[in-house]
Amino acid sequence: MMELAGRLVKSGRLRALFSVVLTGALAAAAADVRAASTPALPQANALQRAVWACEAGAQSRSSTHARFFLGTVDHAAGLGDQPPLILAGGTLTGLGQSANDKGWFNLRFTCRLTPALDKAQSFSAAVLSVVKPSDAVPAPAIPAATGKTWYVAGTDTVTLIHGVRETDDRDFLATCAAKSGMAQIRLAHTARWLTAGGYATIAITANGKSLLYVARGVMDENLGAVVPVIPVPPGDPLFAQMATGTRLSVTIGADTVYSVLLGGAGAPVRSFTVGCARG
């Protein structure tokens, strides 16, 4: 399939379509690939589990041993204004990339999953364009800031902060309307390509759990920059992992990496979770 995509790209016909239907032995093969290449599924949230399963399923069916990177977006190709990942009703859709011996390609894909989100039942993707080489150097990892403490503020709107009290010096900010069950995190760092209203794939590691989110770009007047804002739905494991972890690692797209120290976070995080819990 990817060999066909390569020929179509060379001829200028970029919207090649390829499909994979995984049943029986193919589904078992996909599960074997996933098990060999990813952590155990309980160590991830729903979106991350879905991405792992779909990547493994697509790879297992590729005749060219292509690798798939779903949620990876080529912002230089003008794709940042579209949601990179949407998980709804057991179907994952969005943008990604694939790589084989012909090169790298931008994709739009649809993947249908089992109810447990652990196996891909079908996968189809359209090749949008070739990924062009870039001279941009990834930003170096930002070291974790010290001298900050964890605390909770507010009643009607509950806020969890890691920073210096009574200042804007902070590297973590989460808010929720009291008893709403829905929180959002405003990141303290950003990526140079993020625009207001644009999208970013955010990977977070907390206490050994891999968590994946889709953020929107929002202008932060204090920073003078567009920063990612992440919606965190009820039942997401992020805050539970923060309460017992030592460090939060955040990756914005494939560019910006930074850490937040979790020392002393346990009691404030639990207080925030109680304040946000649905009444």
Side-chain angles (χ1 to χ4, degrees):
M1 296 292 183
M2 292 305 296
E3 291 172 331
L4 172 62
R7 292 197 296 271
L8 288 169
V9 167
K10 289 182 179 179
S11 68
R13 297 169 59 194
L14 295 177
R15 293 196 58 81
L17 182 67
F18 56 94
S19 300
V20 176
V21 178
L22 301 174
T23 58
L26 289 177
D32 290 342
V33 170
R34 172 183 50 74
S37 61
T38 63
L41 288 182
Q43 297 303 313
N45 65 353
L47 185 58
Q48 180 65 85
R49 294 201 310 273
V51 166
W52 280 341
C54 291
E55 287 176 341
Q59 182 183 343
S60 71
R61 191 66 175 87
S62 171
S63 61
T64 61
H65 306 290
R67 296 293 303 277
F68 293 81
F69 306 90
L70 306 183
T72 299
V73 177
D74 182 4
H75 293 275
L79 300 175
D81 61 346
Q82 305 171 50
L85 297 167
I86 300 174
L87 179 61
T91 299
L92 180 68
T93 59
L95 301 171
Q97 294 182 353
S98 67
N100 64 7
D101 59 359
K102 303 296 183 182
W104 284 76
F105 306 92
N106 292 314
L107 308 173
R108 186 186 308 282
F109 73 91
T110 298
C111 177
R112 191 164 54 86
L113 294 139
T114 56
L117 306 180
D118 61 344
K119 295 177 184 178
Q121 295 180 316
S122 66
F123 182 92
S124 63
V127 175
L128 300 177
S129 60
V130 176
V131 178
K132 297 180 180 179
S134 173
D135 295 328
V137 178
I142 301 168
T146 58
K148 295 177 170 59
T149 59
W150 287 94
Y151 61 98
V152 174
T155 53
D156 293 336
T157 299
V158 187
T159 306
L160 174 66
I161 301 169
H162 185 237
V164 179
R165 290 179 182 270
E166 299 180 0
T167 75
D168 291 328
D169 185 7
R170 57 203 180 199
D171 59 4
F172 185 93
L173 175 68
T175 60
C176 76
K179 305 303 180 183
S180 68
M182 188 74 186
Q184 69 173 22
I185 297 172
R186 182 179 292 249
L187 298 184
H189 297 284
T190 190
R192 57 187 178 277
W193 39 260
L194 185 62
T195 60
Y199 292 88
T201 303
I202 308 296
I204 297 179
T205 302
N207 201 26
K209 187 175 286 286
S210 298
L211 311 167
L212 198 62
Y213 304 94
V214 173
R216 297 294 299 270
V218 174
M219 174 57 72
D220 187 308
E221 299 298 338
N222 292 324
L223 294 176
V226 175
V227 299
V229 175
I230 306 170
V232 182
D236 188 272
L238 174 60
F239 294 112
Q241 297 305 311
M242 288 176 59
T244 57
T246 59
R247 183 183 294 261
L248 196 70
S249 297
V250 182
T251 303
I252 304 172
D255 290 344
T256 304
V257 181
Y258 71 99
S259 298
V260 178
L261 298 177
L262 293 174
V269 168
R270 284 188 285 270
S271 176
F272 175 79
T273 301
V274 170
C276 287
R278 285 177 173 169

